[in-house]
Amino acid sequence: MIDTTFARHFTADWIDAWNRHDLAAILAHYADDFEMRSPYIVQIAGEPSGVLRGKAAVGAYWAAALARMPDLRFALIDTFIGVDSLLLYYQGARGPAAEVFEFGPDGLVVRAAAHYAA
């Protein structure tokens, strides 16, 4: 079960890594074979399903996204705790966003799904 201490640490570290554009630090939060879902995967990675698996594929997608948005910054709005998941609600580059993270027993993200305001 996720507790407040874990949630606060993960959230602060994740936001900081993105704001520094530190791809290695970002990817350190994820299991090697994690699954990422995002509507922007279709546009940026050219994957029609919107789903990528593994650090190599997702890392390439995020590297391309960071290159397209050199001023990218996230500002946390709120964190929601689940049993084995977190939802981060934040201000992203294109407006409000919410991202759900599911964690494995080792505390690494095994699945994530990004959601954006319509």
Side-chain angles (χ1 to χ4, degrees), residues 50-114:
V51 180
L52 293 174
R53 289 175 183 82
K55 283 188 177 182
V58 179
Y61 156 64
W62 285 339
L66 288 169
R68 285 184 179 196
M69 294 179 274
D71 297 327
L72 176 76
R73 299 241 352 127
F74 294 157
L76 181 66
I77 297 169
D78 213 342
T79 302
F80 298 84
I81 300 174
V83 173
D84 62 356
S85 61
L86 291 176
L87 181 145
L88 300 188
Y89 179 43
Y90 59 93
Q91 184 67 30
R94 298 178 173 137
E99 195 152 343
V100 177
F101 302 88
E102 293 180 37
F103 295 87
D106 59 0
L108 295 175
V109 177
V110 294
R111 266 181 297 294

Side-chain angles (χ1 to χ4, degrees), residues 24 27 34 44 47 54 90 99 110 118:
L27 288 168
F34 82 100
I44 296 172
E47 172 52 51
Y90 59 93
E99 195 152 343
V110 294

Side-chain angles (χ1 to χ4, degrees), residues 23 30 32-33 36 38 43 52 54 57 61 71 78 80 98 107 113:
L23 188 56
Y30 299 85
D32 288 339
D33 60 348
M36 181 69 210
S38 171
Q43 296 171 6
L52 293 174
Y61 156 64
D71 297 327
D78 213 342
F80 298 84

